[in-house]
Amino acid sequence: MTNFSLSSEGPSRGGVFLVYGLYIARFFTGISLLAGVILAYVLKGPSVGLVRSHLSWLIRLFWYDVAFIIGCAALFGACFITEPPGSSGPGQLLFLIPIGIFAFWNIVLLVSLLYGVRSLTQGKGPLPDRFRSFGE
């Protein structure tokens, strides 16, 4: 287990809480995620220890989110090509695949953000030990 030091150098945990808040606001407004990742990149430069690990994880979550959005859009486009709307047939059920993947990703993202906020208040890293390989 990695021990993190709470140093007074660099940005405080308040900036990280703001980034987490912007990421959570993503579920209501899409532009707040972009503002959050820009702020995370700005704050990451002078940060150290616990703050830096949380900011690195938040930046990685942004890129995971972009990948899932592009992937689900591509799957949705493929479903649209194979079975256009207005036609009736079993191919209409294919639309449930990208919708389900996108819904599952949003649940995973929300749980990850809430866990990150909780672990930041407790002075821990952004991920539990069993998932630490995802953050490195």
Side-chain angles (χ1 to χ4, degrees), residues 42-57:
V42 168
L43 293 176
K44 185 182 175 190
S47 65
V48 293
L50 179 68
V51 171
R52 187 172 184 86
S53 68
H54 277 274
L55 290 172
S56 295
W57 175 243

Side-chain angles (χ1 to χ4, degrees), residues 72 97-109:
C72 287
I97 295 171
I99 293 170
I101 292 171
F102 188 70
F104 178 74
W105 166 246
N106 281 310
I107 292 168
V108 168
L109 181 64

